[in-house]
Amino acid sequence: MNERNANLLFATIAILVALVFTSFVLVLAGASPVAAYWYILKGSLGSWTKVADVLVAWVPLLLVTTGLLITFAAGLWNIGIEGQIVLGGIFTTWVLRLLQHSAMAPGLILFLAIAAGALGGALWAVLAGVLKVYGGVNEIFGGLGLDFVAVALTLWLIFGPWKRPGIGSMSGTEPFPESLWLPTLGHTRLSLWALLLGIVSIALVYFLLSGTYFGLKLKAVGKNPRAAYLLGIPATRYLMSAFLLSGLFAGLAGAVQVTAVYHRLIPAISSGYGWLGLMVSMLINFQPAWAAPVTLFFAILNIGSIQLPIVLQLDSSLSGVLQGALVLSFLLMAGVRQKWVARLRAEEGEA
Amino acid sequence: MEIELRHIHKTFGPVHANNDITLNVPSGIIQGLLGENGAGKSTLMKILSGYFHPDSGEIRINGSPIVMHSPADALRFGIGMLHQDPMDFPPMRVLDNFMVGYPQGLHPPRKEARAALKKISDQFGFSLDPDAYVDTLTIGERQQLEIARLLWLGAQVLIFDEPTTGISAQQKDSLFAALRRLAKEGKTVIFVTHKLEEVEILCDRVAVLRAGKLVGTATPPYDLDGLVRMMFGKAVSKGKRTPIEFGKPVLQLKNLAVEDSRLRIEGVNLEVREGEVIGLAGMEGSGQRQLLRAAAGLVRPVEGEIWVDGHNLTGKTYHDFLRRGVAYVPASRLEEGLVPTLSLMEHVILANEQRGLVIDRQAALEDTRKRIQTFNIRGRPLLPVESLSGGNQQRALLALLRPGLRLLLMEHPTRGLDIESAIWVWSTLKQRCREERTAIFFMSSDLEEILHYSDRILVFFSGQVSEPIPAESATTEQLGQLIGGRGFKTGKEASS
């Protein structure tokens, strides 16, 4: 069996394991697995509106995953990604609030707001980077801390300085005028601009990581910082750049959430896409080529399971069960595959 | 307790680490075990202490054969080992460390343990505070703790693997006093070392290992030259050397001092000239690596100055050295030299000067193919470097070096290579010296390699550095004695 076939086989087994596990959970919950999977498909791809909804969820997830691919290439666990999305949302909202009553063209205001979102995410990520590089705080701990600070900051803004006239509420800040919404396609919620942004981003990062000196050096620093140093690569600069770029894409995701989806700042502006992006990154073993299809699949699961509570009285968190099971079974199969390869090599060595 | 090792064999892949070793150690004496790096001393002792299982052979205690599966097993038979680096738990307290390994009970007997620790400490004159944290202790005190622990657990045979590395002279004296006392009480003490002086003042008898074999034993009074010959073998050929005219100085070390947690090297004065090869000899961990690293800017010296081509680079980073044409080739290829998962071609790209932002893969592929051919690497451009064999990884490291280097600093340039590859590696290095006027500064634990390829030799012993010795006039005996710590006249003392 050659390596390619083996990879395919292990991937298939992983998917089967995840499906069996999820089916088991469904049976426990007293539902028919077949019906559940059918409704997920119908609920995500059953009509053009639903396909559009899938793409609406796809864009931020794709942007976040794009950013994470950069930090993972540098060997960093950017757990602060959630906070970086949130800061993107906050900075975008901030600029929109500042400029919404100005005489500036709405297009220009939107552009500035989205750029500000990218900047906000990048700043929050660089903060995690500074904590790591100069403060000796592991980026996982620093990032987690900054996530909580970011959420607290959102709540404070929504219930404090940016509260709706009268009283602040969990439904978020006052919605922006329709002129400051990213234009959407027909009657759907899908913005072609956002879609374009997502696709261009992943294409750019794919090229950045596979075809440029920057990407190669980033990988060298990530895989072996000591050897990279002996090869003359300034590790600190590359680590900081990785944080900055990763945060930039996360910030863009936050900006898209504000300008194209919610049209205001809400407490859960990140929608958990940061965590989901981490899961996807692990699932695809950090390979950029797989980011687009797998994030699309995850978006399908998310949108498709929305109607499960209505039709099958199941909780919509089923998509999370399936996604988690997929990631775990893929990681498990990667481990099994490694042992299998090691045994194969050992046998070859003896022969 | 009398220990008998009979026909012990142990191989690690192609290396025959212990080759038919038979040795008797009666109780009540201090048995020395002497040998250079890789002679098989540690392997043998790890077999005796249950760490390794011999491929064949037998261990007998008081005449009856025993089989051990783990160090805990060995302790049940009364055999305990102190490793070169203390195997303890630094974040825990002395008393907790003392009780680790106590065989039974959910509820450890702290009170008895405390009393036992105090009793043993008093007996041997150790000064151990049961409530201190181990990471605040010196290496010497950690050894004392380990000795006390093994005694409490009933060890009758104590093995010491190079115990005097990194401890003060005073601690060494108290360690030796403790060892003598242990022997007097009828315990069996095995003392592993490479230091001739310690054999002389401490051991009642000594066995010498070379290349996995037991090559001889001796009793006092010791014939030191004889021991050196046993350790290093006789015939070390120096080879023909084609005289190269050395140019102006490339590297200048001025009264350099380097320090780490174990060693301090000081007063190093040296000039390395264009085209010259300087070999650093000595047992591993005697300070060669620190000096080599300091000369590359990888370690900051605590005193003195480093000049490269007339520029003072003291305190600068390795990248500044790199820009001046200095390159460092580490011994641990996959840990420090190469980036696992990246391909050979990607390494070539990284090693070359960056041109533009986008990589020209076609050009890189051709370049890589050329280097694979020139350096005779068995591997393909796009395969990850970790799939190369050790020898080919070493060739790859050499293939990555830029042309026209001023100074090449190398740890063990031919470690793990077969003889043909080693000769080939040195022929390319010497070519650099001749044609590009590169100076080479390298360390090796292979005395033959040092004698063969160096123009001058520095010998290291526990942080002491000898004066440069011209390789042409050096003898194995002279170097062997120096490596064993005899006849030292450091550069500093000589100049004062």
Side-chain angles (χ1 to χ4, degrees):
Chain A
M1 187 158 47
N2 67 30
E3 202 148 324
R4 208 190 175 83
N5 285 343
N7 284 344
L8 206 66
L9 179 73
F10 280 114
T12 315
I13 297 176
I15 291 171
L16 283 178
V17 168
L19 280 177
V20 168
F21 175 78
T22 313
S23 304
F24 180 69
V25 171
L26 282 167
V27 171
L28 273 187
S32 150
V34 178
Y37 296 140
W38 170 246
Y39 280 115
I40 286 178
L41 271 184
K42 215 175 127 188
S44 53
L45 304 173
S47 72
W48 286 115
T49 321
K50 284 177 175 152
V51 172
D53 281 346
V54 166
L55 294 178
V56 168
W58 182 49
V59 169
L61 183 57
L62 182 62
L63 283 168
V64 167
T65 309
T66 300
L68 284 170
L69 287 171
I70 301 170
T71 32
F72 274 120
L76 297 167
W77 282 78
N78 186 11
I79 301 294
I81 191 88
E82 277 279 316
Q84 291 149 28
I85 304 172
V86 170
L87 260 284
I90 290 176
F91 270 56
T92 302
T93 308
W94 187 26
V95 168
L96 287 177
R97 287 178 64 90
L98 279 179
L99 300 179
Q100 61 181 338
H101 302 302
S102 74
M104 223 181 263
L108 184 62
I109 296 178
L110 275 170
F111 176 79
L112 288 177
I114 292 174
L119 180 73
L123 278 179
W124 212 239
V126 165
L127 198 53
V130 168
L131 281 172
K132 179 189 176 71
V133 173
Y134 301 102
V137 181
N138 186 305
E139 79 274 9
I140 296 180
F141 304 153
L144 198 59
L146 287 171
D147 284 345
F148 279 88
V149 175
V151 170
L153 188 62
T154 325
L155 290 175
W156 174 68
L157 286 170
I158 290 173
F159 288 94
W162 292 355
K163 72 176 175 221
R164 286 188 173 186
I167 190 135
S169 96
M170 284 305 274
S171 63
T173 57
E174 183 75 8
F176 296 112
E178 217 164 312
S179 62
L180 291 179
W181 298 9
L182 264 191
T184 54
L185 193 66
H187 293 296
T188 67
R189 296 194 300 149
L190 176 65
S191 154
L192 284 182
W193 288 103
L195 191 62
L196 192 69
L197 187 66
I199 292 171
V200 168
S201 295
I202 184 64
L204 264 179
V205 168
Y206 176 84
F207 178 69
L208 185 77
L209 292 178
S210 66
T212 65
Y213 281 98
F214 179 83
L216 184 58
K217 291 184 179 181
L218 207 56
K219 276 189 259 184
V221 170
K223 294 290 180 192
N224 191 345
R226 287 159 76 193
Y229 185 73
L230 283 185
L231 282 164
I233 303 168
T236 304
R237 201 189 304 162
Y238 276 82
L239 289 181
M240 293 306 285
S241 314
F243 274 115
L244 188 137
L245 286 176
S246 185
L248 193 137
F249 287 109
L252 280 179
V256 166
Q257 291 283 80
V258 170
T259 52
V261 183
Y262 295 106
H263 313 298
R264 61 185 190 272
L265 185 67
I266 62 167
I269 193 71
S270 77
S271 308
Y273 284 130
W275 306 122
L276 211 53
L278 284 164
M279 297 242 287
V280 172
S281 306
M282 285 186 266
L283 178 63
I284 61 176
N285 197 19
F286 320 117
Q287 299 172 68
W290 286 92
V294 175
T295 45
L296 184 63
F297 178 62
F298 272 45
I300 288 173
L301 291 179
N302 268 10
I303 298 301
S305 57
I306 287 175
Q307 38 171 279
L308 290 181
I310 307 154
V311 290
L312 291 174
Q313 277 78 51
L314 283 170
D315 197 87
S316 64
S317 61
L318 181 73
S319 66
V321 174
L322 189 52
Q323 286 159 349
L326 266 174
V327 173
L328 286 176
S329 59
F330 262 83
L331 292 178
L332 181 70
M333 279 304 134
V336 171
R337 189 180 159 276
Q338 237 164 23
K339 282 197 173 162
W340 176 74
V341 169
R343 213 173 54 207
L344 213 65
R345 292 240 168 93
E347 277 168 19
E348 271 171 20
E350 276 167 30
Chain B
M1 235 164 48
E2 184 174 346
I3 297 283
E4 286 173 71
L5 295 162
R6 294 183 153 208
H7 305 293
I8 300 286
H9 283 272
K10 178 78 187 174
T11 54
F12 297 103
V15 181
H16 211 147
N18 281 169
N19 189 351
D20 196 27
I21 292 179
T22 297
L23 179 68
N24 281 3
V25 187
S27 59
I29 66 153
I30 300 177
Q31 165 80 54
L33 195 59
L34 189 65
E36 62 167 334
N37 281 320
K41 307 176 301 246
S42 288
T43 305
L44 188 65
M45 289 304 104
K46 282 181 176 167
I47 287 173
L48 181 56
S49 61
Y51 245 79
F52 293 149
H53 201 69
D55 295 344
S56 65
E58 200 175 66
I59 300 170
R60 292 176 170 223
I61 292 182
N62 293 335
S64 47
I66 56 162
V67 178
M68 298 175 288
H69 300 286
S70 69
D73 253 8
L75 252 178
R76 271 193 283 282
F77 287 112
I79 303 171
M81 176 156 172
L82 264 87
H83 292 268
Q84 202 165 344
D85 293 298
M87 291 204 179
D88 49 21
F89 304 88
M92 286 165 50
R93 291 176 196 276
V94 166
L95 187 63
D96 297 320
N97 264 279
F98 183 66
M99 290 174 23
V100 160
Y102 186 77
Q104 66 242 202
L106 270 177
H107 182 70
R110 297 186 74 87
K111 231 171 155 178
E112 288 94 276
R114 190 179 284 268
L117 178 60
K118 186 167 180 337
K119 194 172 151 230
I120 296 172
S121 297
D122 290 347
Q123 201 178 343
F124 287 94
F126 297 164
S127 51
L128 290 169
D129 171 8
D131 299 311
Y133 283 96
V134 168
D135 49 15
T136 65
L137 265 49
T138 63
I139 302 261
E141 288 167 330
R142 286 162 72 177
Q143 281 176 349
Q144 296 179 347
L145 169 60
E146 194 66 5
I147 295 173
R149 189 178 78 84
L150 292 173
L151 288 175
W152 188 51
L153 294 176
Q156 294 293 316
V157 179
L158 287 125
I159 304 166
F160 295 84
D161 189 2
E162 303 272 5
T164 56
T165 313
I167 65 175
S168 69
Q170 206 185 351
Q171 285 174 330
K172 190 167 113 180
D173 290 342
S174 78
L175 174 72
F176 283 8
L179 295 188
R180 288 197 189 95
R181 193 180 169 114
L182 284 169
K184 214 165 84 192
E185 289 181 0
K187 307 260 195 281
T188 310
V189 178
I190 302 181
F191 186 82
V192 180
T193 186
H194 68 272
K195 295 174 185 163
L196 295 167
E197 184 196 61
E198 295 176 354
V199 172
E200 227 180 349
I201 63 171
L202 185 69
C203 298
D204 298 312
R205 34 187 270 184
V206 66
V208 185
L209 294 188
R210 186 177 76 238
K213 289 187 183 152
L214 186 77
V215 287
T217 55
T219 47
Y222 296 108
D223 161 24
L224 290 181
D225 278 342
L227 287 180
V228 166
R229 271 197 298 277
M230 279 196 251
M231 269 175 87
F232 295 99
K234 259 183 229 150
V236 177
S237 68
K238 284 182 215 159
K240 269 192 300 195
R241 53 187 79 236
T242 27
I244 304 173
E245 251 185 57
F246 305 130
K248 54 182 197 232
V250 176
L251 173 72
Q252 289 165 290
L253 306 178
K254 298 180 177 170
N255 198 27
L256 199 69
V258 190
E259 208 174 44
D260 70 7
S261 57
R262 294 205 135 189
L263 282 176
R264 181 184 168 93
I265 314 163
E266 51 187 7
V268 181
N269 286 292
L270 183 72
E271 259 188 21
V272 187
R273 293 155 294 174
E274 285 178 324
E276 191 178 25
V277 180
I278 306 262
L280 310 185
M283 294 296 288
E284 207 127 302
S286 300
Q288 308 93 306
R289 196 156 174 265
Q290 282 87 330
L291 185 64
L292 212 54
R293 299 216 150 210
L298 288 164
V299 172
R300 197 180 282 256
V302 288
E303 254 174 56
E305 290 178 359
I306 303 170
W307 291 64
V308 174
D309 274 332
H311 300 274
N312 185 354
L313 295 188
T314 318
K316 294 274 167 52
T317 68
Y318 173 65
H319 289 173
D320 297 310
F321 281 70
L322 207 59
R323 275 189 281 277
R324 294 270 172 214
V326 179
Y328 194 86
V329 181
S332 46
R333 302 168 192 125
L334 280 185
E335 287 75 38
E336 271 189 291
L338 301 167
V339 184
T341 73
L342 293 195
S343 68
L344 196 53
M345 182 177 95
E346 287 173 313
H347 280 85
V348 169
I349 297 167
L350 288 173
N352 278 342
E353 204 94 37
Q354 177 170 344
R355 276 185 225 97
L357 292 174
V358 179
I359 297 166
D360 182 348
R361 296 188 88 82
Q362 201 52 46
L365 191 62
E366 267 161 49
D367 188 5
T368 311
R369 287 218 175 95
K370 228 186 297 170
R371 293 191 200 208
I372 284 180
Q373 205 168 28
T374 320
F375 285 85
N376 206 3
I377 301 167
R378 255 187 271 159
R380 276 177 284 155
L382 298 179
L383 285 182
V385 285
E386 68 267 29
S387 69
L388 299 176
S389 73
N392 284 309
Q393 285 171 14
Q394 185 70 19
R395 288 163 186 268
L397 271 183
L398 294 171
L400 293 178
L401 293 173
R402 287 182 196 177
L405 287 173
R406 297 294 295 151
L407 174 65
L408 189 50
L409 302 152
M410 309 184 86
E411 295 175 13
H412 305 288
T414 63
R415 176 177 278 180
L417 298 189
D418 56 67
I419 295 180
E420 285 81 42
S421 307
I423 291 173
W424 179 84
V425 162
W426 271 109
S427 74
T428 65
L429 292 175
K430 284 286 189 179
Q431 194 181 356
R432 278 180 184 269
C433 296
R434 268 196 319 276
E435 290 169 10
E436 300 174 4
R437 315 295 290 141
T438 306
I440 296 181
F441 201 37
F442 80 102
M443 64 182 270
S444 171
S445 46
D446 181 349
L447 204 51
E448 175 148 3
E449 180 178 28
I450 297 223
L451 271 168
H452 204 109
Y453 297 110
S454 315
D455 297 305
R456 287 188 293 162
I457 299 168
L458 297 183
V459 182
F460 286 67
F461 175 79
S462 291
Q464 283 177 287
V465 187
S466 77
E467 280 181 282
I469 304 163
E472 239 164 332
S473 63
T475 63
T476 319
E477 278 81 8
Q478 181 192 4
L479 294 181
Q481 293 244 6
L482 281 169
I483 290 172
R486 299 277 306 188
F488 246 86
K489 200 171 66 178
T490 57
K492 195 180 162 194
E493 283 165 27
S495 60
S496 64

